Amino acid sequence: MTARARMLLVEDTPSILQLYHEVLARLDVVLIDADTGAGALAVLRETVPDVVLLDLELPDINGLEILRAIKTRDLPSTVIVVTAHGSVKIAVEAMREGAYDFIVKPFAPDRLLVTARNALERRHLESLAAANDIAKNGRFFGFIGASLPMRAVYNVIESTAKSRATVFITGESGTGKELCAQAIHKLSPRRDGPFVAVNCGAIPRDLMESEMFGHVKGAFTGATTTREGAIARTRGGTLLLDEICEMDLALQVKLLRVLQSGEFNKVGGGEVERSDVRYLCATNRDPWAEVQAGRLREDLYYRLHVVPCAMPPLRERDRDVLPLARHLLTLYAEEEGKTFADFEPEAIEALTRYSWPGNVRELQNVLRNIVLFNDGRIVTTAMLPHLDPHVAPRLAGSGPRFEALQLASEPGRDLAVKPLWQVERRAIEEALALCGGNVPRAAAFLEVNPSTIYRRKAEWDKGRLASTLGTRV
């Protein structure tokens, strides 16, 4: 379902504001009122409207200041200026400042309706152009990739960034959960405020409460000064609670109180403080499974799990692997003063066939090592010993595992321990046989994505074809 467009109406005359509502009711939009400049700026700190209908003559500040604030913060809002007959020159100045169009009072209702509809259409086209640019260039606020799973993530980020709703980001380690949180912050009205990330699993339990809420001098041994906590440091910005499922249950109760009331106390302090924070959460676990296991409070789960955002593993982003690898190769080569520019075809095949269990972080580590310990312009398969597709397709071979594969390949040797790819293939084939060849059903039994089975079958078919051609030759 597409979210309804939002229109901010900045007008201090009640009768004109009422006229706006009567005319714009014919459009499928959410109308937000502000009768002062300060009220409009407050709204813009909390949300990003698609269209702003802005009266320049406000009781407290000049409407141009609001227009300049929108431009300075680079908000993607289309602005329509409303001005009196004798202020057309000011309206023209507003157009130079970035306004889309202007209306002169008094105006006909149809003129307002047509202008508002055109502004909404322009904003819609700008959104489509941005989406097409992502699909073409594969870049989005630090992300590299234009695959369908990632475009779904981009859509969630864009849809939720404008609001204060809590986004619960899930995904395996190394999939870019913190990068997702940073993108939401950069697109939000709070982009000018701080972005603070707290790893709930990395901070000792005894110090976590102080890290979150702060403490006063003398609150405990070692508290020699008063210290602001993460909630206070994030005032006006975005706070990411990373690995939220590892937070102590006692602290979860206190966090729930802050979320419900917006109030908190420093450790050892009696003064009640107000929070002004947009919360984001991230975890590499299944949050509902953590609730059922008693490690995450159910009431906290429902308070935080407002908008879910699942980061796809790299193995489900096949078309993104090569663009990511090329970007990282160029980046690391520049940092280290090397000349690497691309990969040979065999290296590309090895990169794209590998399953990347460590996700983007593993890809980063592999390419960093290649650049550090090799020289040249083209990355060859010899530089990718752990990803050699001829040794173990979609399996990293190194250390004991690599040695086991070599032993298993020796003539006359029969090991009780089979290579993992053989075990995996047998399990998939047995599941398909039991399900009558139904891939989605077999995937459900194996608890994997159906695309995983389709990829494996394609690899096996490719191998059989290569073997047949080799025999014919």
Side-chain angles (χ1 to χ4, degrees), residues 24-64:
L24 299 175
R26 299 179 231 178
L27 303 175
D28 185 24
V29 296
V30 176
L31 301 177
I32 307 169
D33 296 344
D35 58 5
T36 63
L41 292 173
V43 171
L44 292 170
R45 283 193 293 269
E46 298 296 328
T47 187
V48 180
D50 296 281
V51 174
V52 178
L53 191 60
L54 176 62
D55 186 6
L56 293 180
E57 299 177 4
L58 297 170
D60 52 348
I61 62 176
N62 190 300
L64 286 176

Side-chain angles (χ1 to χ4, degrees), residues 449-470:
N449 194 297
S451 63
T452 300
I453 296 180
Y454 285 121
R455 283 198 301 271
R456 298 297 192 272
K457 286 169 61 65
E459 291 167 4
W460 301 334
D461 291 342
K462 182 179 179 181
R464 280 194 292 266
L465 177 61
S467 177
T468 302
L469 292 174

Side-chain angles (χ1 to χ4, degrees), residues 118-443:
N118 289 342
L120 288 166
E121 180 64 21
R122 170 181 167 154
R123 180 71 196 104
H124 177 65
L125 292 174
E126 288 175 345
S127 298
L128 290 178
N132 290 334
D133 187 57
I134 292 169
K136 180 180 179 180
N137 300 322
R139 294 174 181 265
F140 181 86
F141 284 88
F143 285 108
I144 304 292
S147 62
L148 287 178
M150 286 309 297
R151 291 171 70 178
V153 170
Y154 302 156
N155 183 58
V156 172
I157 292 173
E158 287 192 308
S159 299
T160 59
K162 299 176 182 179
S163 74
R164 290 193 64 172
T166 302
V167 181
F168 207 120
I169 308 166
T170 58
E172 299 174 8
S173 295
T175 51
K177 296 186 291 295
E178 184 167 343
L179 191 60
C180 175
Q182 290 173 345
I184 293 172
H185 172 71
K186 291 174 183 176
L187 273 172
S188 76
R190 294 172 167 259
R191 70 185 75 184
D192 298 328
F195 175 86
V196 177
V198 176
N199 191 320
C200 301
I203 300 172
R205 181 179 301 179
D206 296 339
L207 299 178
M208 189 62 190
E209 184 175 359
S210 172
E211 175 62 29
M212 286 290 295
F213 306 118
H215 62 258
V216 299
K217 182 179 179 180
F220 50 84
T221 303
T224 56
T225 60
T226 296
R227 181 176 182 271
E228 297 282 5
I231 294 176
R233 297 198 308 273
T234 316
R235 190 169 285 113
T238 305
L239 176 59
L240 169 64
L241 299 174
D242 199 7
E243 303 306 339
I244 181 68
C245 293
E246 297 187 31
M247 180 179 285
D248 182 65
L249 285 171
L251 190 57
Q252 290 182 28
V253 176
K254 297 182 180 181
L255 175 61
L256 183 63
R257 174 179 173 271
V258 178
L259 293 171
Q260 291 173 335
S261 67
E263 298 178 346
F264 68 97
N265 300 86
K266 287 186 174 72
V267 177
E271 182 181 351
V272 176
E273 299 186 38
R274 295 286 304 176
S275 65
D276 178 19
V277 174
R278 199 264 178 92
Y279 294 92
L280 305 176
C281 301
T283 181
N284 58 9
R285 302 180 184 179
D286 179 347
W288 183 243
E290 294 299 299
V291 171
Q292 293 177 313
R295 291 185 289 268
L296 180 65
R297 288 180 60 93
E298 186 172 357
D299 48 5
L300 181 61
Y301 168 85
Y302 285 117
R303 172 65 71 168
L304 294 175
H305 203 270
V306 179
V307 180
C309 181
M311 298 299 300
L314 191 53
R315 61 182 172 274
E316 295 181 5
R317 301 171 52 192
D318 286 353
R319 63 176 292 184
D320 294 340
V321 173
L322 187 55
L324 260 170
R326 283 176 168 152
H327 168 75
L328 293 170
L329 181 68
T330 301
L331 177 65
Y332 297 152
E334 289 178 357
E335 289 180 0
E336 302 299 333
K338 300 294 184 73
T339 59
F340 285 110
D342 208 344
F343 304 86
E344 69 175 12
E346 291 80 5
I348 291 175
E349 182 181 3
L351 288 168
T352 54
R353 290 185 63 192
Y354 182 58
S355 61
W356 299 107
N359 296 297
V360 178
R361 189 172 295 128
E362 182 184 6
L363 178 61
Q364 291 173 328
N365 293 340
V366 166
L367 291 173
R368 174 74 77 178
N369 276 272
I370 289 171
V371 172
L372 282 173
F373 297 108
N374 297 277
D375 289 297
R377 186 176 178 279
I378 302 296
V379 175
T380 66
T381 50
M383 301 175 188
L384 295 169
H386 304 322
L387 308 178
D388 187 349
H390 302 294
V391 173
R394 305 194 70 85
L395 176 66
S398 61
R401 289 186 296 173
F402 182 71
E403 294 170 4
L405 289 171
Q406 288 182 314
L407 288 171
S409 65
E410 291 180 8
R413 183 178 291 273
D414 183 18
L415 291 178
V417 179
K418 300 294 183 184
L420 183 58
W421 66 269
Q422 291 184 6
V423 177
E424 179 190 57
R425 177 168 181 169
R426 181 175 179 179
I428 291 175
E429 289 177 338
E430 288 179 352
L432 287 171
L434 289 171
C435 297
N438 188 312
V439 172
R441 185 177 298 176

